[in-house]
Amino acid sequence: MNKAKQLPVSKKVEPKILYYGTPVILLSTLNEDGTVNISPLSSSWALGKCIVLGMGLGGKSIENIKHHPECVINVPSPELWSHVEQLAPYTGKEDVPEFKQQLGISYRKDKFGASGLTAAASAAVRPSRIAECPIQIEAQVKFIRIPEHSPFMAVVETEAVCVHAHDDIILGENHINPEKWSPLIYNFRHYFGLGPQVGKTYRSET
């Protein structure tokens, strides 16, 4: 007689956040005076050349892209987690919103200095890239939407216009080597890298 399959038991939970394992990005945007702001983001996804970003309305990044609709989506590796975390207690908004003050966040204009990261000139947009990030995607902002059910957040659609990658993760001419590349993952407010490969899609060209 076949035994019934034993399924895992699930319970209803109410987590404070739903970052269930998403890549961290460092978003470069242009300040009014031509300097560059860097903001860590944990909500993004790509569909072709469309990259969708989720960001809070109280930050400098959303303010910047409304005035100058360009950005760089810098994707750090796990080794850069401490640089990302060094940015966490700072905002580029001089007038720090009250809710951020309650979280211990303070104003810091020089985000490159705060993080120990290095600016690199972009090819197609004005905001700088971050040299240490293995993947850097220059993008133009196409559409900003405020969801009715999440009025304190913005959904930002961008178009990738130029992609840069470190030499050591490039396979051939235009492929990223998945055995050499691992993004920094934000997993319920903890940082992780990828584990060993378990398989690949039938559409993989490498």
Side-chain angles (χ1 to χ4, degrees):
M1 182 181 294
N2 293 330
K3 292 183 178 180
K5 184 177 180 180
Q6 190 70 31
L7 297 175
V9 177
S10 299
K11 295 193 306 182
K12 181 180 177 181
V13 296
E14 295 183 2
K16 290 184 177 180
I17 49 93
L18 289 174
Y19 297 128
Y20 44 76
T22 52
V24 174
I25 66 168
L26 294 175
L27 189 71
S28 304
T29 59
L30 198 69
N31 293 321
E32 297 89 338
D33 61 1
T35 60
V36 173
N37 184 64
I38 306 172
S39 293
L41 299 183
S42 50
S43 299
S44 69
W45 60 275
L47 182 64
K49 290 190 175 182
C50 176
I51 300 179
V52 180
L53 310 173
M55 61 182 73
L57 291 179
K60 186 63 175 173
S61 287
I62 188 68
E63 181 180 296
N64 281 352
I65 62 173
K66 286 179 178 179
H67 291 96
H68 184 85
E70 295 182 334
C71 61
V72 182
I73 299 161
N74 303 278
V75 192
S77 57
E79 294 77 16
L80 295 175
W81 80 267
S82 61
H83 295 273
V84 174
E85 188 61 16
Q86 286 170 29
L87 289 167
Y90 299 114
T91 176
K93 279 183 74 73
E94 192 168 359
D95 184 14
V96 182
E98 184 177 348
F99 78 93
K100 289 199 171 191
Q101 293 181 36
Q102 294 174 356
L103 296 172
I105 295 174
S106 59
Y107 169 67
R108 179 78 180 263
K109 182 175 182 178
D110 182 10
K111 295 292 191 68
F112 282 103
S115 63
L117 296 170
T118 309
S122 294
V125 300
R126 288 182 63 190
S128 303
R129 297 177 287 127
I130 298 175
E132 288 84 356
C133 290
I135 295 178
Q136 309 137 18
I137 305 169
E138 301 180 29
Q140 294 178 346
V141 176
K142 296 298 184 180
F143 186 71
I144 301 172
R145 183 173 69 88
I146 312 301
E148 291 184 6
H149 53 83
S150 296
F152 303 109
M153 302 291 178
V155 177
V156 180
E157 294 181 17
T158 72
E159 179 186 6
V161 295
C162 187
V163 179
H164 307 259
H166 287 182
D167 284 344
D168 60 356
I169 66 169
I170 298 175
L171 184 62
E173 291 295 323
N174 292 303
H175 290 99
I176 303 298
N177 188 338
E179 293 185 356
K180 297 289 184 67
W181 162 239
S182 173
L184 176 62
I185 299 296
Y186 196 55
N187 182 9
F188 288 101
R189 291 182 174 157
H190 293 256
Y191 295 108
F192 288 85
L194 295 183
Q197 177 179 312
V198 296
K200 65 179 181 180
T201 174
Y202 76 98
R203 297 184 63 184
S204 174
E205 298 178 357
T206 60

